[in-house]
Amino acid sequence: MTAIFVANGALDAETIAARFSQDAIQLPAAIRDFVLTHLQQYRAPTAAAPLAAMDEAKLISLFGNAPDKLAHLGTLFESEYKKLAAGLGAALSSPQPTEAKSMLHAIKGMAAMLGAHAAADVARRIEDHIAQRELDAAAADGKENAELSDLQDALLRSLQPYRDWFSRYQRAADPHLPPTRPTDAR
């Protein structure tokens, strides 16, 4: 259960705040309140941020620095991304989410390979949501559907920097290609 710091790792501020409030009873109130306030104000990044130089270097070391190879990988990534964006919503709204589970498992593997920890974390959270829905065996109400939709949007946004990165190589190989935009997601 030791915390491990990773680049672009996720912070589960809600769980940490709950545990901290239980474990920090003997701390001075000013310190405890300061930490809790900051944990409660934490909001996970929602907008797609550009890849950090370290992430880009990691991707280049993983895939090599061959522009034609990266352009081809970019085409494959974009194709898979569009399939994901088109199919995930339908799979998640299905009463039998078997296809959604398969898609999310594949996303976690792809995200881990790319170092897209935020995307892997959101995919895991969606899996947890599906598992809870199955355990409850109750029909999803409007709030649940909105939460799942928000998670789906967060997943697609967390993959956007990788689309942008691969897109640079695609555009270099074919300058007539338009740049990817977050609005292309759905």
Side-chain angles (χ1 to χ4, degrees):
M1 299 298 294
T2 301
I4 299 173
F5 292 103
V6 294
N8 296 327
L11 172 67
D12 186 357
E14 188 176 317
T15 301
I16 293 170
R19 185 165 177 197
F20 180 80
S21 65
Q22 290 173 354
D23 294 346
I25 293 171
Q26 295 183 359
L27 285 177
I31 294 172
R32 185 178 60 243
D33 293 345
F34 175 82
V35 172
L36 281 173
T37 298
H38 283 77
L39 282 170
Q40 291 165 346
Q41 290 175 348
Y42 175 79
R43 297 286 181 261
T46 55
L51 289 179
M54 187 169 87
D55 291 338
E56 187 168 346
K58 212 182 313 178
L59 287 169
I60 288 173
S61 72
L62 182 64
F63 296 113
N65 196 12
D68 57 332
K69 182 178 177 182
L70 291 170
H72 179 69
L73 286 169
T75 301
L76 293 173
F77 184 85
E78 185 65 18
S79 170
E80 291 304 309
Y81 181 92
K82 286 183 177 181
K83 286 180 199 172
L84 161 72
L88 191 57
L92 289 173
S93 63
S94 167
Q96 300 296 331
T98 305
E99 186 177 342
K101 288 179 184 179
S102 298
M103 291 174 81
L104 291 165
H105 186 74
I107 290 166
K108 286 191 314 183
M110 175 190 68
M113 182 184 74
L114 292 174
H117 302 291
D121 181 60
V122 176
R124 182 199 49 78
R125 287 173 42 208
I126 295 172
E127 285 180 325
D128 292 348
H129 188 88
I130 290 170
Q132 185 61 47
R133 185 172 70 182
E134 289 176 333
L135 285 175
D136 293 343
D141 61 14
K143 178 183 175 209
E144 207 173 309
N145 289 334
E147 182 182 347
L148 201 51
S149 179
D150 289 346
L151 286 171
Q152 178 185 353
D153 290 343
L155 176 60
L156 296 176
R157 281 192 312 270
S158 66
L159 289 171
Q160 184 63 40
Y162 298 88
R163 288 179 75 200
D164 295 341
W165 188 80
F166 278 122
S167 176
R168 284 193 326 220
Y169 291 95
Q170 288 177 277
R171 284 192 312 276
D174 183 356
H176 301 295
L177 285 175
T180 61
R181 297 181 313 273
T183 54
D184 291 342
R186 291 192 175 197

